[in-house]
Every structure is written in C-alpha cells, then in structure tokens.
Amino acid sequence: MPGEPSITSIPSPRTGHPSGPCVLLKHGEIFLRGRNRHLFTERLHDNLRSALRGIGGSTWIKSGHNITVLGGEIPQDVLVERARRVMGFNAVEPALRLPSTVADITTAVVDALAGARAERPGITFAVRVKRRDKSFEMTSSQFERFLGARVQEALGRVPVNLSSPDVRVSVEIDHQESYVSWTRHQGAGGLPVGSSGRALVLLSGGYDSPVAAYRAMRRGLRCDFVHFTGAPYTNAASVYKAYALARELNRYQPGGRLHVIALGHAQKQLAIAGAGKLQVVAQRRLMARTASALAGRTRAEALVTGDSLGQVASQTLANMAAVDEAATLPVLRPLVGWEKQEIIDEARSIGTAEISVLPDEDCCQLLAPPRASLRAGLTDLRSVEKRLDVDDLVDGLLRDVQIMYPGETEEEADAAGPDGGTAPGRPLPAVCAAGPSAVVSS
C-alpha cells in the first residue's frame, strides 16, 4: 500500500549493510518452549510487525537465538516504545549494531561510558559479555577484563562495581555482528498474543475488566470484547468508554473487535419475572449465556471477566459459580485474587485508568435491588428464567449486536481477516469527537 513502511529481514554487516542504532528484544517464556519454540517466535514476530504498522518509515527485523533485533529508518526511542507493547519480550534494549571486531566493540564501549560519565560524573560501571560466536579471539571473561582495562585507560580510574553498577554495558558477540547496549527497559513479558488461542472479554467501563483483558493477553490470548449497555434506559456514555478502553487495549495486540449489546429490555423482563434480590446475578447469567453464543462467531474458546473474589455482592464464590453454570465456555478470572488497589495500579500502568474514571451509566446498576443476594441459588435462578424464554432472549440480543473496530476501519479489519496481522496501517478515529457510530456495523 502506498506510504506504508516496509518490514523486512536485514543482512549482516558482511554483506555491506551499514552498522548503526538498533533495538535488542530479549525473548521471555518462549525460551522454554522446546521443539515448538519456532511457532511461538513466528507469532511473536507477527505481533511485532503489527505493532510497527503506521510507524512512518521502513523497519527491519532480524531473528537470533532467543533474541530479536529491530532497526530501520525510525528513531530508536520510537522503536523502543512500540516494542515495549508486544507481549513475549522480557527486555527491550537500545543498542549499537557493529562488526564483531575487538577494535569496533572497544570503541563503542568506551564511547558509551564516556557519554554516561559526562551526564553523571562518579558513576560505577561493569561490562558483561555474551559470546555466541565461540571462534571469537577471547573468551567472555577475558574480553570483559580487556574492555574494563581499556575503559580505565581511556577515561581514568572509573570505579568498577560488578554486583550493582550504575551503568551495565552489555556486549553480545554473534557470528556476523555484535551489539553493545547500556540501557535496559522492562518488556511486557508473558507469551505472544494469539499463541494460546482466542477469548472474549466482558468489558465494562470500570478498572477491573480492562486489566483482566491485559492479563489474559499476557498469557497468549487474543481478545475480542463484548460490552453490555442498559440501552434504551441509559445513555451512550458507557459505549464511548468501552470503545476507548478497547482501543487502548488494542495497542498490545492485533486489533480486537468490540461488540455492543443493548441489555435494557432484557433486564426489564427479568425484573418483571420477579428476579428481586436475584436481579444482578440473573442478568450476569444472561450476559454469560449471550457472550457464550457470541463467542461462536468470534472463534473464542473462553470468556474473560474482571471478577475479584468478594469485591462486590455478585462476586461471592456462590454467585460466581451460578454465573459459570450459565456459560457454555470456561470463564477465566485473571484478577480473582487481586485487591482493588492492585487493580487500579495496574490500570494506571497500562493506560486504561484515565478512561475508567470517566462518568457513565453502568448497566449493572439498572433495576438493581437495594440489597443483592450474596448466595443466589440455582433453583431460584432457574425458576425466574423459566418465566421467560431465555433462548429467544439471547437470540434477540445477538440479532441487534453492533460491531465496532477500535483503532481501525471496518474495511481494514476485513482486509486483515479474522486473525489480523496483515492489514495496512489503521488510523485511530477520535472516539470523543466522531463517536463510535463512525465505525459501526450491525
């Protein structure tokens, strides 16, 4: 597509490609995957390519042993920011890529420490060498001592601290090129998104469900989202929030779709059927039934919720079991043992907290009784559900579902296919300006 950056493999310096800045991406758990490791690595690189879409210039990806090297025409800090979103990388290190010669590596190490010392006089340092090319003329420990001596010859008596240095210079010697880095950023960790299958997240507007979605992604699940509104008895504020939350979460995965379902009429029917204190649990069971049916369309193999044990009345052990009984898929609760403050802290770190605090009309509060049952019995719940045709109710809810594409247009999502990964760059519509109706289909 015109204007779309190319993402290619890169030749080594021996083929004449210039040395220069790059980013080292250290693999996480996939290191332990044995014979299947290449499948996880392929998924990881697909997700990295997806994260680089629309970056504004050509980039390249080079695969190594438990490491990926990223570079291109893009500023190094921009590459670092994009790479830190990709699940499966434990560390993201800005680095210099250079020929594997003693002279080139020594110059790079001395220059790096000279720059660091100019900014922070009195720093301590250590040099760590990893030698993948066993034909290199010195062993790792010999080269560490050699480099340390050259630094002190060039810069004076710079203090060495091997246990906790202020600056740790890492040298990785490969067969065709070497890398020198002295800054390390924490990566997202976990498994590559999509390596564990697909899930459907019940996304509300609060803190909990977006964090649960993020945690599910870190375990390799690619997530689509479903949001239940109280429409027509509530306004569209919760839909705007859900769209913004899904768009933020899609920064960590190839774009997941948001399904919006108006639950208001069905909630009223439950109330008329005499749900009473069971109203909240009964409507959560209806959400679980509807989401299970919707999952068949999205190829999801599990549901994900933001439930935390005992946090609210509907999240007691008995009530969660009652909800699970209505679902036809496993219900995953990544936050079941988390405290509220832990969830809020995580929401701040992943960028969803500022959206979650915006006001909205939560459908769960619609027609909610003054006191909800802490231990809803299945017999009583089934009795309420028998007074109305639940299957027809679910069919009606799914007939009117709206599908949104947070961060992309419908045409781009269709071009990407059900698994994404190859669509062109996706513009981010301003949800607060254009509204989700700009990217809705029935």
Side-chain angles (χ1 to χ4, degrees):
M1 187 173 186
E4 182 65 16
S6 61
I7 303 172
T8 62
S9 298
I10 197 72
S12 72
R14 291 179 186 175
T15 64
H17 194 281
S19 303
C22 65
V23 181
L24 297 184
L25 308 174
K26 304 297 181 66
H27 297 182
E29 287 186 52
I30 63 174
F31 173 73
L32 304 173
R33 295 294 155 172
R35 295 179 181 178
N36 292 327
R37 188 188 309 167
H38 70 284
L39 300 175
F40 287 82
T41 302
E42 288 171 7
R43 175 73 69 170
L44 184 60
H45 288 173
D46 285 345
N47 293 344
L48 178 58
R49 292 184 186 95
S50 178
L52 294 171
R53 287 198 194 101
I55 202 169
S58 65
T59 57
W60 52 261
I61 296 170
K62 180 178 183 295
S63 183
H65 183 66
N66 297 322
I67 192 171
T68 295
V69 188
L70 173 63
E73 300 172 350
I74 309 302
Q76 196 177 46
D77 60 336
V78 176
L79 294 177
V80 167
E81 190 272 333
R82 293 292 183 100
R84 292 188 71 186
R85 304 176 188 175
V86 181
M87 311 291 184
F89 294 122
N90 273 7
V92 178
E93 301 181 11
L96 284 175
R97 174 172 171 264
L98 63 167
S100 294
T101 69
V102 170
D104 286 318
I105 295 171
T106 302
T107 299
V109 170
V110 170
D111 289 348
L113 281 166
R117 196 181 185 200
E119 294 179 1
R120 293 185 292 163
I123 60 170
T124 61
F125 83 100
V127 179
R128 289 288 179 258
V129 174
K130 181 179 291 185
R131 189 184 60 141
R132 295 191 180 92
D133 181 5
K134 302 306 179 184
S135 66
F136 190 74
E137 57 195 89
M138 284 182 265
T139 66
S140 296
S141 58
Q142 287 172 341
F143 200 29
E144 287 173 356
R145 292 192 293 271
F146 175 87
L147 291 171
R150 299 293 83 76
V151 166
Q152 295 196 327
E153 286 177 6
L155 305 179
R157 301 298 297 176
V158 183
V160 175
N161 185 334
L162 298 179
S163 57
S164 56
D166 297 316
V167 178
R168 180 181 183 272
V169 181
S170 297
V171 178
E172 303 202 14
I173 303 170
D174 219 328
H175 292 278
Q176 296 181 330
E177 59 208 26
S178 292
Y179 309 96
V180 175
S181 62
W182 53 95
T183 304
R184 182 184 179 95
H185 301 283
Q186 187 70 34
L191 295 172
V193 170
S195 62
S196 298
R198 300 181 72 102
L200 183 63
V201 178
L202 278 70
L203 185 68
S204 70
Y207 288 110
D208 303 348
S209 56
V211 175
Y214 175 80
R215 284 282 152 177
M217 292 175 194
R218 287 194 74 213
R219 300 316 306 154
L221 287 172
R222 182 169 175 192
C223 295
D224 289 302
F225 311 98
V226 57
H227 176 70
F228 292 92
T229 78
Y233 306 114
T234 58
N235 62 31
S238 74
V239 181
Y240 282 72
K241 282 182 67 176
Y243 183 94
L245 287 168
R247 184 174 60 178
E248 190 67 26
L249 290 166
N250 278 345
R251 295 171 65 239
Y252 302 100
Q253 67 167 6
R257 302 181 183 190
L258 172 65
H259 302 77
V260 178
I261 296 177
L263 197 67
H265 286 312
Q267 290 176 274
K268 187 173 182 180
Q269 289 184 55
L270 286 170
I272 293 172
K277 290 184 178 181
L278 303 176
Q279 176 76 23
V280 174
V281 180
Q283 64 194 31
R284 286 177 67 86
R285 278 170 60 87
L286 181 57
M287 291 178 188
R289 289 180 193 277
T290 307
S292 296
L294 178 61
R297 301 181 182 181
T298 65
R299 296 191 298 169
E301 301 167 87
L303 306 180
V304 175
T305 78
D307 293 345
S308 174
L309 186 60
Q311 187 178 118
V312 295
S314 63
Q315 294 173 20
T316 63
L317 192 59
N319 287 348
M320 287 194 292
V323 172
D324 286 1
E325 195 270 343
T328 58
L329 294 175
V331 180
L332 308 181
R333 296 180 172 89
L335 310 183
V336 70
W338 287 39
E339 296 180 359
K340 191 66 177 184
Q341 191 58 51
E342 292 176 309
I343 297 171
I344 293 172
D345 291 343
E346 179 96 334
R348 287 173 178 153
S349 72
I350 66 175
T352 59
E354 291 184 358
I355 302 169
S356 294
V357 298
L358 296 173
D360 70 339
E361 292 186 332
D362 182 5
C363 77
C364 291
Q365 301 305 315
L366 181 66
L367 303 174
R371 295 186 65 181
S373 172
L374 298 177
R375 194 175 183 83
L378 284 176
T379 301
D380 294 333
L381 287 165
R382 288 169 182 158
S383 178
V384 171
E385 291 167 351
K386 282 181 180 178
R387 296 170 199 153
L388 41 90
D389 193 326
V390 175
D391 290 337
D392 281 352
L393 205 56
V394 170
D395 289 342
L397 292 172
L398 291 179
R399 246 190 331 266
D400 297 328
V401 66
Q402 291 180 309
I403 305 173
M404 302 183 183
Y405 306 85
E408 63 187 359
T409 66
E410 181 179 352
E411 290 76 14
E412 288 166 341
D414 288 340
D419 293 321
T422 57
R426 296 163 186 174
L428 298 178
V431 64
C432 294
S437 60
V439 284
V440 169
S441 69
S442 296

